Each structure stands twice: as C-alpha cells, then as structure tokens.
Amino acid sequence: MKNIVLFGAPGVGKGTHANILAEKYDLIHLSTGDMLRAEIEAGTPLGKRVETAMERGDLVGDDVVIGLVDKALASTDQGVILDGFPRTVQQAQALDFLFANHRRRMDCVISIDAPREELVRRIHERALISGRTDDANDDTIRHRLEEYDAKTKPVTDYYKVSGLLVSIDGSGEINQTSMRLCKVVDILMNRGK
Ligand code: ADP
C-alpha cells in the first residue's frame, strides 16, 4: 500500500494530477480543499466556520484539516494520494502521527513546480469553469500565494531532511507533467514488491 503527498502552490495542478494518478494506480484521492468545499456546500457547522477564511484565501486552522484527514484515513485501507495537505509544518508533523496511528508509511512527497506567472494564468483559466470565488478575485489569488510562500513552502524543508521529497517540473502541458509524475510513481509502485 503506497501513500503519496502531492505538493505545490495554488494553481500548479495538484488536483488534476492527483485525479489522474489515483485512477491509474488505484489510490484514494484525498483533497482537503474538496473536503472543505463539501462541508461549506452541505452547510455543516464546520463549513460555516471555515467559509470566510477560504473566501479570503487564508489557510483554515490546522486542527480542522488534521481532523478531516484523520477521518478520511480511517475510512479506507487503500493507499492514498494527498492533495493540499500538509500545508504547514505543524500539519506535516501531525501527518507523521496520523500515518503511524493508521499503520501507514509515507512513501514519497512529490513537489510539482511552475513559475509564479504560470500559476496565476492557470488560476484565471480555472476561474472560468470552477465557480470558486477564491479563483475569481486577484487580491485573493495574491493572498493565497503569499500564504503559500510564508506557511507552505517551509514544508519542503521538513521533507528534504527525511529524504522523501522529489521535485518535478510542472510548467508544461498536462501530459508532460503527467509523464514525469508517472515515472516517479512507477518506481515507487515497483519498490518493495
Ligand atoms: P489551491 O491549491 O488552488 O489553493 P485547494 O482546493 O487546495 O486549492 O485549497 C483551497 C483553500 O482551502 C485554501 O486557500 C485554504 O483556504 C483551504 N485549505 C485547503 N487545504 C488546506 C490545508 N491543508 N490547510 C489549511 N487550509 C487549507
């Protein structure tokens, strides 16, 4: 059973590629952004608590997302691909505990990289179809990228130290990035077989 984190800035394509990889390698795709949007959509108390932060482009509280991931990990015995989590060093530390509690091992953290102007271009493009209010406002987009630089980028150092981090170029077309990702995941899948 393989457990993978897909890491990267807003707009880099984590959701798209997590979907492709989940399908190809029979992994469960766990997106904290999707989980939070589902809570808002369903009008749950948790959804009401996070709605304003998400609309502003702030990260929501660590405890909230850690709780959601804990619940999701408890609900399956399959390998998982995490998209949008961990996003702070505290979440990364919590994930180590969660994996240990759920008898899982972290196999790899794959960072997808792309230049800032390309991220902004993709978020604008996605705004036309996503209906996401946080994709439609330039100030919110800027703020999400600031949150990424300040709180999420340091997570790469956490995984560099443990030797789990692999970075791939995600600046090109979807199928180019997909091929690069599959090369990494193929190796993981064949390891320890
Ligand atoms: P993107 O990667 O384009 O920002 P996501 O769907 O991953 O899209 O996240 C959307 C929003 O959901 C974030 O801006 C943040 O408010 C919230 N969010 C998602 N995942 C997390 C997380 N792990 N920690 C804190 N907030 C999160």
Side-chain angles (χ1 to χ4, degrees):
M1 183 230 277
K2 302 295 177 191
N3 299 288
I4 300 167
V5 166
L6 215 52
F7 188 88
V12 82
K14 298 182 297 294
T16 303
H17 290 291
N19 262 328
I20 296 171
L21 294 173
E23 174 107 355
K24 177 159 182 194
Y25 298 99
D26 206 18
L27 300 165
I28 302 291
H29 175 190
L30 300 181
S31 156
T32 43
D34 286 349
M35 291 177 202
L36 293 165
R37 280 184 290 275
E39 296 281 341
I40 293 172
E41 183 88 29
T44 65
L46 190 151
K48 294 208 168 80
R49 245 169 66 208
V50 299
E51 198 164 11
T52 317
M54 278 184 80
E55 246 166 47
R56 279 202 211 118
D58 287 334
L59 291 187
V60 312
D62 287 330
D63 291 353
V64 174
V65 277
I66 291 166
L68 287 172
V69 172
D70 188 20
K71 216 163 77 184
L73 290 175
S75 71
T76 178
D77 289 329
Q78 264 173 268
V80 295
I81 183 150
L82 284 162
D83 149 16
F85 184 93
R87 247 174 158 107
T88 62
V89 172
Q90 204 192 327
Q91 291 177 23
Q93 288 164 343
L95 184 59
D96 287 343
F97 280 103
L98 291 182
F99 272 179
N101 284 343
H102 292 284
R103 302 191 177 288
R104 291 171 186 269
R105 194 188 64 184
M106 171 82 80
D107 290 284
C108 193
V109 177
I110 312 176
S111 173
I112 311 177
D113 302 333
R116 188 59 46 112
E117 59 275 14
E118 178 62 13
L119 302 174
V120 174
R121 193 193 65 74
R122 289 180 191 174
I123 294 173
H124 282 145
E125 199 175 76
R126 183 172 67 187
L128 301 174
I129 45 168
S130 71
R132 280 174 54 174
T133 48
D134 64 343
D135 280 347
N137 179 302
D138 283 339
D139 288 339
T140 311
I141 295 170
R142 197 172 317 115
H143 185 53
R144 279 158 66 203
L145 292 167
E146 283 165 5
E147 287 277 83
Y148 174 78
D149 287 338
K151 299 175 183 165
T152 308
K153 204 101 199 291
V155 175
T156 55
D157 292 329
Y158 184 82
Y159 288 118
K160 255 185 221 154
V161 172
S162 50
L164 287 167
L165 187 75
V166 177
S167 295
I168 65 132
D169 175 11
S171 61
E173 297 295 320
I174 290 176
N175 59 354
Q176 288 176 317
T177 304
S178 193
M179 267 165 47
R180 292 188 185 110
L181 283 167
C182 288
K183 265 191 205 155
V184 175
V185 179
D186 277 339
I187 293 168
L188 285 181
M189 290 293 168
N190 289 317
R191 201 171 65 185
K193 251 191 182 172

